[in-house]
């Protein structure tokens, strides 16, 4: 059994991004610039955005954080997006989700210029990804594909079971895993809350990607020996062991599932760090596009 060290792989990739940035600077080009829009003070969103800003610094990107209070109007947020869309100094930007209930998330995502949508959430990017055209692939699915690539995990012809059908992870990763590519070329089953006999399906899986946000959902009796398990769950649960008073819990009961696996990602330190480097890569790609003659 091998525990996939997502943190270490992410650090390697950050080194590669840093080299690309140094080359841009040596050509007298401005380094990539990522902006993040954060609404309100949700603890999880604050942490994620702080990690994104810190990672920008580590690779030599410029970053800007634009904050709004919880009661910001949808119109004000749309005006902010319109400004970022035409700001030639910003290569890419994200609007951290979830947004407060009075704001239509779809309208916000659809207002982002697809070329600057480094989260890959705009329907144009999601559609292009689905048919294999160049685009910004959303960060978590892109990070999982990179883990398969870097760990040289063979996915061709394997039965990949995806748990969860979210637009951010479940749906896009099931499309990427079924694409004619390496990694990819898998036979994919997408399971969700209405799936019948779920454990019968997961027991047939060569690869399981768990992304439903239900802590400790996948147990040892639900997997076969030698399975590859990718845990995308990041639920915050109260904890007396940490200074912050909470810790992250994955969708997989790690201690009992790990001994049956050929590979498994831990939480934290598995998929999470890969998500951030994928965002950095998309931003680098957007900046390179800007510099094309
Ligand atoms: N909220 C949870 N994950 C994400 C993400 O990848 N991007 C944004 N913008 N918000 C999120």
């Amino acid at each position: 059994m091998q525990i996939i060290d997502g943190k270490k792989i992410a650090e390697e990739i950050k080194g590669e991004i840093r080299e690309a940035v140094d080359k841009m600077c040596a050509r007298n080009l401005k380094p990539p610039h990522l902006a993040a829009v954060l609404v309100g003070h949700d603890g999880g969103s604050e942490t994620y955005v702080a990690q994104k800003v810190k990672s920008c610094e580590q690779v030599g990107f410029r970053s800007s954080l634009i904050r709004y209070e919880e009661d910001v109007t949808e119109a004000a947020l749309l005006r902010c997006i319109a400004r970022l869309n035409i700001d030639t100094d910003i290569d890419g930007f994200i609007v951290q989700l979830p947004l407060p209930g009075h704001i239509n998330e779809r309208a916000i995502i659809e207002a982002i210029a697809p070329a600057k949508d480094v989260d890959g959430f705009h329907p144009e990017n999601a559609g292009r990804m689905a048919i294999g055209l160049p685009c910004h692939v959303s960060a978590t699915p892109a990070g999982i594909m990179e883990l398969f690539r870097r760990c040289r995990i063979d996915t061709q012809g394997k039965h990949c079971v995806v748990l969860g059908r979210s637009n951010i992870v479940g749906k896009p990763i099931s499309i990427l895993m079924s694409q004619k590519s390496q990694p990819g070329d898998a036979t994919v089953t997408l399971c969700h809350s209405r799936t019948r006999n779920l454990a019968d399906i997961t027991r047939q899986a060569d690869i399981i990607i768990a992304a439903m946000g239900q802590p400790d959902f996948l147990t040892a009796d639900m997997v076969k020996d030698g399975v590859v398990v990718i845990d995308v769950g990041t639920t915050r649960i109260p904890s007396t062991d940490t200074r912050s008073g909470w810790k992250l819990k994955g969708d997989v009961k790690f201690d009992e599932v790990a001994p049956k696996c050929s590979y498994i990602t831990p939480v934290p330190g598995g998929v999470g760090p890969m998500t951030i480097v994928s965002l950095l890569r998309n931003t680098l790609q957007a900046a390179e596009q800007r510099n094309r003659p």
Side-chain angles (χ1 to χ4, degrees):
M1 185 266 297
Q2 193 175 327
I3 297 175
I4 298 175
D5 190 342
K7 205 166 163 205
K8 180 162 161 248
I9 297 169
E11 287 306 317
E12 280 166 23
I13 299 172
K14 277 188 198 164
E16 295 163 13
I17 296 173
R18 174 98 228 179
E19 274 177 30
V21 174
D22 289 346
K23 280 192 189 138
M24 280 174 100
C25 294
R27 290 167 57 212
N28 279 331
L29 297 168
K30 283 187 184 172
H33 189 173
L34 173 72
V37 179
L38 176 59
V39 178
H41 299 275
D42 171 75
S45 293
E46 292 267 4
T47 308
Y48 289 134
V49 169
Q51 283 170 346
K52 289 170 189 178
V53 168
K54 184 172 159 223
S55 300
C56 280
E57 281 166 21
Q58 288 171 337
V59 298
F61 284 13
R62 293 170 293 157
S63 67
S64 298
L65 175 57
I66 301 158
R67 278 181 170 278
Y68 285 96
E69 286 305 321
E70 191 84 17
D71 61 356
V72 64
T73 63
E74 188 175 310
L77 215 45
L78 287 169
R79 281 195 298 275
C80 167
I81 291 170
R83 279 196 301 275
L84 291 169
N85 281 342
I86 57 167
D87 186 339
T88 51
D89 199 42
I90 303 276
D91 295 302
F93 65 96
I94 62 157
V95 179
Q96 188 64 27
L97 304 179
L99 291 169
H102 66 279
I103 292 171
N104 179 349
E105 235 165 60
R106 265 287 113 220
I108 297 298
I109 290 170
E110 289 185 25
I112 301 173
K116 292 194 177 188
D117 166 41
V118 284
D119 256 334
F121 292 168
H122 189 282
E124 184 173 316
N125 281 316
R128 290 178 70 93
M129 184 278 291
I131 56 174
L133 294 175
C135 63
H136 293 307
V137 176
S138 70
T140 302
I144 296 169
M145 296 302 276
E146 195 59 29
L147 280 183
F148 287 128
R149 200 173 288 123
R150 301 245 170 183
C151 298
R152 297 179 199 280
I153 294 171
D154 185 17
T155 58
Q156 188 179 50
K158 298 288 164 65
H159 184 197
C160 173
V161 172
V162 177
L163 305 177
R165 56 180 158 185
S166 70
N167 288 338
I168 296 183
V169 185
K171 261 187 251 175
I173 195 65
S174 51
I175 293 169
L176 292 171
M177 287 299 282
S178 62
Q179 260 176 2
K180 200 174 175 65
S181 62
Q182 182 55 245
D185 274 335
T187 304
V188 177
T189 304
L190 178 55
C191 299
H192 47 76
S193 52
R194 298 283 178 270
T195 297
R196 298 203 183 132
N197 305 322
L198 185 80
D200 290 342
I201 299 169
T202 54
R203 272 193 289 268
Q204 290 169 37
D206 303 306
I207 301 168
I208 299 175
I209 300 174
M212 337 74 91
Q214 282 190 46
D216 287 341
F217 179 86
L218 193 78
T219 48
D221 57 311
M222 294 171 76
V223 307
K224 70 175 181 187
D225 280 325
V227 66
V228 175
V229 171
I230 307 292
D231 189 350
V232 191
T234 50
T235 308
R236 279 182 163 208
I237 59 153
S239 167
T240 50
D241 304 339
T242 60
R243 248 188 304 151
S244 59
W246 54 267
K247 65 176 178 184
L248 286 184
K249 196 114 191 71
D251 288 352
V252 178
K253 213 163 191 179
F254 186 90
D255 291 347
E256 63 174 60
V257 172
K260 295 182 84 172
C261 295
S262 53
Y263 292 89
I264 185 167
T265 62
V267 175
V271 173
M274 295 300 292
T275 297
I276 295 188
V277 290
S278 300
L279 177 69
L280 297 176
R281 279 181 143 192
N282 283 347
T283 307
L284 178 64
Q285 186 182 307
E288 285 171 346
Q289 214 63 36
R290 171 245 295 166
N291 292 326
R292 291 249 152 82

